[in-house]
Amino acid sequence: MALGKYSRVDNNNNNNRKSSSSYCSTVTIVVFVGLCLVGIWMLTSSSVVPVQTGNGSAEEKKNQVEDQVTPVTSDNNDSSNTSDFEDNRGDLPDDATKGDANVSLAENDGKGNLNTQENQDNTEETKMAESKKDDEQSASEGGEKSGDKSGEQGDSLENSDDKKSDSDENDKKSEEKNEKSDLDDGDKKQDESSSETNGDQADNQIEEKVDQNDNKELEKSSDEPKDDGQLKNQSSNEVFPSGAQSELLNETVTQTGSFSTQATESKVEKETQLSSKKYSWKLCNSTAGPDYIPCLDNLEAIRHLPSTKHYEHRERHCPEEPPTCLVPLPEGYKRPIEWPKSREKIWYYNVPHTKLAQIKGHQNWVKVTGEYLTFPGGGTQFKHGALHYIDFIEESVPDVAWGKRSRVVLDVGCGVASFGGFLFDRSVVAMSFAPKDEHEAQVQFALERGIPAVSAVMGTKRLPYPGRVFDIVHCARCRVPWHIEGGKLLLELNRVLRPGGFFLWSATPIYQDKTEDVEIWEAMVELTKSMCWELVNKTSKDAVNGVAVAAFRKPTSNDCYEQRSKQEPPVCPESDDPNAAWNVPLQTCMHKVPVDASERGSQWPDRWPERLEKAPYWLSSQVGVYGKAALEDFAADNEHWKRVVTKSYLNGMGISWSSVRNVMDMNAVYGGFAAALKDLSLWVMNVVPIDSPDTLPIIYERGLFGMYHDWCESFSTYPRSYDLLHADHLFSKLNKRCNLVAIVAEVDRILRPEGKLIVRDNVETMNELENMLKSMRWEVRMTYSKDKEGLLCVQKSMWRPKEVETIKYAIA
């Protein structure tokens, strides 16, 4: 009995021993497998495995683009990328794009998520060691957060029975593994489908602009990299700097998608509040209201003029301190109609003036048609269309050769500038001007139509153009008394007209028999003869428009001047510089024609478009703006702007160039920026500041146009004239002698709402400028900085301040 009893006890002990051993083995295996799985989960969760589809998902492409974005205030001194950004004329990366708060946050979010995952890993290890229940919860949480296979493996552990044998447990795991594999396949398909759907949505949501906010997309160029291999092979001249790219590839894990982050929203608001406190903007209150031009609406100065006989009241009278307030918008203002439709009609509420329609409506200048102002004819001298008038001129004077020999025209007393507007169809550009007078807003109509024009008058001072630059000067009943006071005004045209160029005149004295007209014609014939101008043709009346044209040609030598029996008008002294034009009084004299083969004006330029790319012949003996020989300097500048415009401006800034018509280069130098845009349907006003090297003659020689200006004063144009302003290293120079706040207010005045400003300058100036523009609620589309140089692209908003500032000298 005892033996049997002890035998039974021994058997029980053996059974217990076997059960205990089996239990320990099971627990050990479970813990070991669990720790291995957690380790694998830690490794896989610390990197992002993109979902691969046949063509590469749109979401992956979006990640690749965002991974390239550089921080806003990056001042990358990577020597390997120095070629991306040259000095004054430096070539930035193609479309170096602003990666402001969203990129910084993306980096931080990436780090934060990694730290969170590591903490979760440690917690789950502890929980697994403590209890099976906690282990199951940790695995479940890990599966929900990571979305990888560790979650499914955790479920497998959760359903295992540690009291079963090893074989039963393995069978159970095998069955669950098969179930998990089926689930994984389904999840993978669902993820791929979701990725494709989200990718399509992302593609559809890509906007034109590159924005500082998290919820804005980057516009992708057609040659965007499609895989990691291509990204690694990018050269330093590609769109984004490679250093920032590799850094973000390592750190960025999560994306904000279409959601903005609280940090970004708060940062932007705080920056706006700080800028608003520093810069307090007010709304200008003047008699001119939304049409205020500070240097032409200085009514106090005009009231104190001793005389207005020579149109002094239409000339510039700038206030001592330029205004720093913002000009109001017309009520009902909307985005202008795009070219070429704008040539025929504009929104009435953008230029709500009907006086000109009432005065000139019968001459088909402009008419009010519902919510539009329409331009059925063009002008007094071409009621039935400007194109017929333009062709009539060429038929009468074949040497005019529109768009070949004749490229740059000065249109005096342009009205609504229909002549210049239709010359675009003949590959000709016209600098049109007219005074701000009783013909209410005529120049404003022209600019709203997308036609180049400025507010100016032939009064007591020279026009702001160099000597001998216009191929043709045109006056169609421009109401200028050419024949009086020794022909002083006609002699100003002689100054700016190129030797061999034409003066085209179609006023009433040519074809009417009224006594006054006959007397004026006789006086003009005598005056032009004394000036050695040749009357090439005086046409009979055109059957369509009922007008005639007289064509005079300027001489190409000094022979006639020397052979005159009477030196009236006299030849200007050699000390008189024909290129000096800024606030220089008119002189009643003629400048001699250049005869030296190396002197500008001695030869006619090449035909268009060859003249655009070819360096002027008279540059050979000069030193260029950037210190090289002028010819080499010119060629380098030309290639530089081709590269910048093609690789960066056209594709990398999110600008819809089809909606850009009126462009100004505020510091044009050789006109390279304008030349690089030659294939687009737009025009560029090339401005050469008065304190910069005088390169404006080179711009005209290329078949482009422009004018001199002092940016410490307001420009002679109406508010809301331009779609895009470009300033290359201008503001840092102006900041030394001008009020930068007043300059920014002027930029705001002449730029249209939703118009773009592109600035290239040093970082210090860029930061100050960016803060100022932000305080006006302008949208920063892109910034980039490197080696203390930067690029900024901003868009003007519709915002106007509520507080008003009365401009006392502009009140009638």
Side-chain angles (χ1 to χ4, degrees):
M1 293 293 292
L3 181 60
K5 181 177 179 180
Y6 287 122
S7 295
R8 285 195 295 271
V9 170
D10 289 340
N11 288 337
N12 289 338
N13 288 340
N14 289 336
N15 290 337
N16 289 338
R17 217 173 271 118
K18 290 179 181 179
S19 175
S20 175
S21 175
S22 175
Y23 178 81
C24 291
S25 299
T26 301
V27 171
T28 302
I29 291 171
V30 169
V31 171
F32 177 78
V33 171
L35 291 174
C36 289
L37 292 175
V38 170
I40 294 172
W41 177 76
M42 289 174 63
L43 291 174
T44 58
S45 64
S46 65
S47 62
V48 177
V49 182
V51 178
Q52 300 292 336
T53 60
N55 297 324
S57 68
E59 186 67 22
E60 179 185 353
K61 295 179 182 179
K62 175 182 173 185
N63 293 347
Q64 292 174 350
V65 174
E66 291 187 356
D67 284 347
Q68 300 173 71
V69 181
T70 57
V72 178
T73 57
S74 68
D75 190 5
N76 193 345
N77 294 322
D78 188 355
S79 60
S80 65
N81 289 335
T82 55
S83 61
D84 290 353
F85 201 106
E86 300 168 3
D87 51 5
N88 292 14
R89 313 165 315 157
D91 184 17
L92 288 171
D94 302 346
D95 58 346
T97 308
K98 173 166 182 144
D100 50 55
N102 59 334
V103 176
S104 301
L105 287 171
E107 294 181 21
N108 293 334
D109 287 348
K111 293 179 182 177
N113 284 339
L114 290 177
N115 293 336
T116 301
Q117 290 166 355
E118 291 173 3
N119 292 336
Q120 289 174 350
D121 296 341
N122 295 333
T123 303
E124 286 176 329
E125 287 185 61
T126 305
K127 287 183 179 179
M128 289 184 68
E130 289 177 352
S131 68
K132 180 178 70 176
K133 181 177 180 181
D134 290 340
D135 179 41
E136 293 169 356
Q137 292 176 351
S138 298
S140 177
E141 291 173 5
E144 293 174 356
K145 292 181 180 178
S146 65
D148 63 8
K149 293 184 180 181
S150 62
E152 301 291 344
Q153 298 281 5
D155 292 339
S156 193
L157 289 174
E158 180 183 359
N159 293 323
S160 65
D161 186 357
D162 57 6
K163 292 183 181 181
K164 293 187 177 182
S165 65
D166 293 342
S167 61
D168 291 338
E169 183 176 317
N170 291 336
D171 291 340
K172 178 69 175 179
K173 289 181 180 179
S174 176
E175 292 174 2
E176 293 187 7
K177 184 176 182 181
N178 292 335
E179 294 176 1
K180 180 188 78 63
S181 178
D182 293 338
L183 289 173
D184 284 348
D185 291 341
D187 290 342
K188 182 176 181 181
K189 292 177 181 178
Q190 183 176 0
D191 289 342
E192 291 176 351
S193 174
S194 174
S195 177
E196 292 174 357
T197 302
N198 292 337
D200 292 340
Q201 292 175 350
D203 285 342
N204 292 334
Q205 292 174 353
I206 290 177
E207 300 175 354
E208 298 169 353
K209 59 186 179 179
V210 181
D211 193 75
Q212 65 169 350
N213 297 324
D214 286 337
N215 61 337
K216 300 296 175 73
E217 303 269 344
L218 288 171
E219 176 176 305
K220 300 178 218 172
S221 61
S222 59
D223 58 347
E224 179 184 354
K226 293 183 179 179
D227 55 15
D228 292 340
Q230 288 174 315
L231 281 172
K232 292 177 182 178
N233 293 330
Q234 283 182 326
S235 69
S236 62
N237 287 329
E238 290 300 325
V239 173
F240 301 103
S242 58
Q245 168 199 322
S246 60
E247 191 175 321
L248 289 176
L249 282 174
N250 290 332
E251 297 185 358
T252 303
V253 176
T254 62
Q255 298 178 18
T256 58
S258 61
F259 298 94
S260 175
T261 65
Q262 180 57 223
T264 299
E265 294 169 354
S266 300
K267 179 182 177 182
V268 171
E269 177 60 25
K270 284 187 286 186
E271 287 179 350
T272 301
Q273 289 181 6
L274 288 174
S275 298
S276 299
K277 291 177 181 178
K278 186 175 180 181
Y279 304 104
S280 179
W281 301 102
K282 298 179 181 180
L283 200 65
C284 297
N285 176 28
S286 66
T287 299
D291 300 333
Y292 176 49
I293 305 176
C295 288
L296 297 180
D297 291 318
N298 189 347
L299 302 182
E300 183 178 352
I302 292 173
R303 282 193 290 265
H304 290 86
L305 288 173
S307 172
T308 59
K309 179 181 178 181
H310 296 98
Y311 302 96
E312 291 90 344
H313 56 302
R314 307 298 184 195
E315 293 182 321
R316 290 170 58 85
H317 301 282
C318 299
E320 292 183 6
E321 294 294 330
T324 56
C325 53
L326 307 183
V327 175
L329 297 176
E331 187 176 350
Y333 181 87
K334 60 179 70 176
R335 177 184 294 183
I337 296 171
E338 293 183 7
W339 181 269
K341 292 182 179 179
S342 61
R343 186 166 59 181
E344 314 298 335
K345 63 180 182 180
I346 61 175
W347 296 114
Y348 167 77
Y349 285 107
N350 284 14
V351 192
H353 301 295
T354 60
K355 185 176 180 180
L356 194 60
Q358 296 168 4
I359 297 174
K360 296 289 186 179
H362 66 287
Q363 296 177 352
N364 280 350
W365 274 39
V366 57
K367 292 185 177 181
V368 180
T369 308
E371 59 181 349
Y372 301 104
L373 290 168
T374 59
F375 305 86
T380 305
Q381 302 303 83
F382 29 91
K383 301 176 186 178
H384 303 291
L387 268 181
H388 176 81
Y389 173 79
I390 290 168
D391 292 339
F392 170 68
I393 291 174
E394 187 170 25
E395 291 168 4
S396 305
V397 188
D399 284 347
V400 164
W402 296 123
K404 299 180 180 67
R405 183 181 187 273
S406 299
R407 164 65 182 175
V408 187
V409 174
L410 179 65
D411 189 17
V412 183
C414 64
V416 294
S418 291
F419 179 69
F422 282 93
L423 277 175
F424 281 109
D425 293 356
R426 299 293 181 263
S427 298
V428 176
V429 291
M431 171 69 74
S432 303
F433 75 89
K436 188 178 184 182
D437 59 9
E438 67 273 8
H439 287 165
E440 188 180 44
Q442 53 187 334
V443 167
Q444 190 175 20
F445 285 138
L447 290 162
E448 187 71 16
R449 297 174 70 189
I451 302 171
V454 293
S455 291
V457 66
M458 300 203 69
T460 65
K461 298 177 182 177
R462 288 180 177 178
L463 296 171
Y465 314 116
R468 307 187 297 267
V469 292
F470 289 102
D471 303 333
I472 287 178
V473 177
H474 172 259
C475 164
R477 204 170 181 175
C478 54
R479 301 174 62 195
V480 178
W482 303 115
H483 60 291
I484 67 172
E485 298 184 349
K488 181 180 290 187
L489 299 181
L490 195 62
L491 289 169
E492 173 62 4
L493 295 190
N494 185 76
R495 181 185 71 85
V496 300
L497 183 61
R498 192 182 298 278
F502 291 100
F503 172 58
L504 303 175
W505 190 37
S506 62
T508 55
I510 300 170
Y511 57 88
Q512 287 188 358
D513 296 330
K514 295 179 180 179
T515 303
E516 183 182 6
D517 290 327
V518 172
E519 291 176 353
I520 293 175
W521 172 252
E522 291 176 351
M524 278 291 286
V525 169
E526 183 179 353
L527 174 61
T528 53
K529 186 177 180 180
S530 67
M531 294 170 57
C532 296
W533 283 13
E534 176 191 1
L535 178 59
V536 177
N537 193 3
K538 178 186 178 184
T539 72
S540 57
K541 276 189 179 183
D542 169 46
V544 176
N545 290 310
V547 300
V549 177
F552 300 89
R553 176 152 45 192
K554 181 178 176 177
T556 56
S557 73
N558 296 312
D559 296 343
C560 176
Y561 297 153
E562 296 168 355
Q563 296 170 4
R564 290 182 303 166
S565 58
K566 189 178 181 180
Q567 295 296 310
E568 292 281 342
V571 174
C572 297
E574 292 185 4
S575 59
D576 191 313
D577 185 358
N579 296 316
W582 188 251
N583 290 331
V584 176
L586 292 178
Q587 299 291 325
T588 310
C589 65
M590 298 182 299
H591 295 89
K592 282 189 175 182
V593 174
V595 292
D596 191 324
S598 63
E599 191 174 357
R600 181 175 68 85
S602 61
Q603 301 177 34
W604 194 266
D606 288 345
R607 293 199 163 204
W608 179 263
E610 288 79 12
R611 65 192 284 185
L612 180 68
E613 301 290 336
K614 188 175 180 180
Y617 62 90
W618 40 269
L619 280 183
S620 58
S621 60
Q622 301 184 30
V623 177
V625 171
Y626 303 111
K628 303 176 183 177
L631 292 178
E632 183 182 352
D633 220 34
F634 175 90
D637 182 79
N638 193 44
E639 291 303 315
H640 162 74
W641 285 112
K642 279 184 181 179
R643 186 168 61 251
V644 169
V645 168
T646 302
K647 292 186 176 181
S648 179
Y649 288 6
L650 294 184
N651 299 314
M653 290 191 174
I655 297 174
S656 176
W657 287 93
S658 62
S659 63
V660 175
R661 174 63 183 172
N662 302 359
V663 179
M664 177 186 287
D665 192 353
M666 301 174 68
N667 187 26
V669 191
Y670 293 125
F673 170 69
L677 295 172
K678 66 180 177 64
D679 294 328
L680 300 185
S681 183
L682 53 78
W683 57 270
V684 180
M685 178 68 73
N686 294 282
V687 177
V688 173
I690 61 170
D691 58 342
S692 297
D694 185 5
T695 53
L696 194 52
I698 299 174
I699 291 171
Y700 275 93
E701 198 80 4
R702 303 184 70 175
L704 307 171
F705 61 46
M707 59 189 293
Y708 299 114
H709 183 61
D710 182 358
W711 282 114
C712 293
E713 302 174 358
S714 72
F715 195 77
S716 293
T717 191
Y718 281 85
R720 305 170 300 280
S721 294
Y722 289 88
D723 300 304
L724 186 144
L725 302 179
H726 180 258
D728 181 27
H729 290 84
L730 173 69
F731 290 100
S732 55
K733 293 170 66 176
L734 295 176
N735 204 12
K736 298 174 183 178
R737 67 182 188 90
C738 310
N739 181 352
L740 191 59
V741 176
I743 298 171
V744 170
E746 175 65 5
V747 167
D748 177 88
R749 189 185 71 85
I750 66 179
L751 188 62
R752 290 171 172 171
E754 299 184 3
K756 311 298 188 300
L757 169 66
I758 301 174
V759 181
R760 304 166 73 89
D761 221 310
N762 63 55
V763 170
E764 182 180 356
T765 302
M766 295 275 285
N767 290 338
E768 183 178 2
L769 195 62
E770 183 177 351
N771 290 333
M772 213 176 295
L773 296 171
K774 282 181 178 178
S775 70
M776 296 194 305
R777 311 295 195 270
W778 285 31
E779 179 184 354
V780 178
R781 304 286 296 273
M782 185 188 73
T783 62
Y784 175 78
S785 61
K786 180 178 178 180
D787 297 335
K788 298 183 179 180
E789 295 289 325
L791 173 66
L792 172 68
C793 180
V794 289
Q795 176 175 292
K796 178 181 174 179
S797 69
M798 296 283 285
W799 176 82
R800 297 290 88 178
K802 295 181 180 179
E803 189 176 353
V804 175
E805 176 184 346
T806 298
I807 311 298
K808 295 181 180 179
Y809 56 79
I811 299 296

